[in-house]
Amino acid sequence: MTKWEYLVFSPHEKTTEWGGVLAGYKLNDKKILFEVDSQFARDDVNYDKFHSNGQNQILNEIGDEGWELIKIRGNERTPTYFFKRPL
């Protein structure tokens, strides 16, 4: 019987005490954050990947690592993607 490993990918956003926004995404319990100053983000590779059309760059990288998309929950603004791959 095949054993599976699971991965959950979702957006993450938190307002800081100085009024900035820490945005990013979570891969299971790991947070990948980038700072957003009002409408402009700092030059950050993760920010560019996250804000690509439908976050396709990040999702493609996850797929390249052998993860298979099995479910999408949430809405267009805050989707949560569920993946699995054999151990």
Side-chain angles (χ1 to χ4, degrees):
M1 178 157 73
T2 305
K3 292 189 176 193
W4 300 97
E5 161 177 39
Y6 295 91
L7 175 72
V8 179
F9 168 84
S10 61
H12 177 76
E13 188 173 295
K14 178 182 177 184
T15 305
T16 64
E17 58 190 47
W18 62 86
V21 175
L22 289 176
Y25 53 93
K26 293 191 316 188
L27 294 171
N28 288 344
D29 293 333
K30 180 181 177 185
K31 293 178 186 173
I32 297 156
L33 299 174
F34 31 86
E35 188 174 342
V36 178
D37 180 14
S38 66
Q39 296 176 337
F40 304 100
R42 64 182 185 183
D43 186 22
D44 189 314
V45 171
N46 288 316
Y47 178 86
D48 292 339
K49 288 180 188 177
F50 183 76
H51 286 284
S52 63
N53 184 21
Q55 291 117 16
N56 66 324
Q57 290 180 351
I58 294 172
L59 297 175
N60 285 342
E61 286 180 11
I62 291 171
D64 288 345
E65 294 173 6
W67 293 100
E68 176 185 347
L69 180 64
I70 57 172
K71 186 185 334 181
I72 303 172
R73 292 287 183 254
N75 59 42
E76 192 175 297
R77 181 174 159 87
T78 57
T80 300
Y81 301 90
F82 297 85
F83 297 87
K84 71 176 185 178
R85 70 178 173 188
L87 286 174

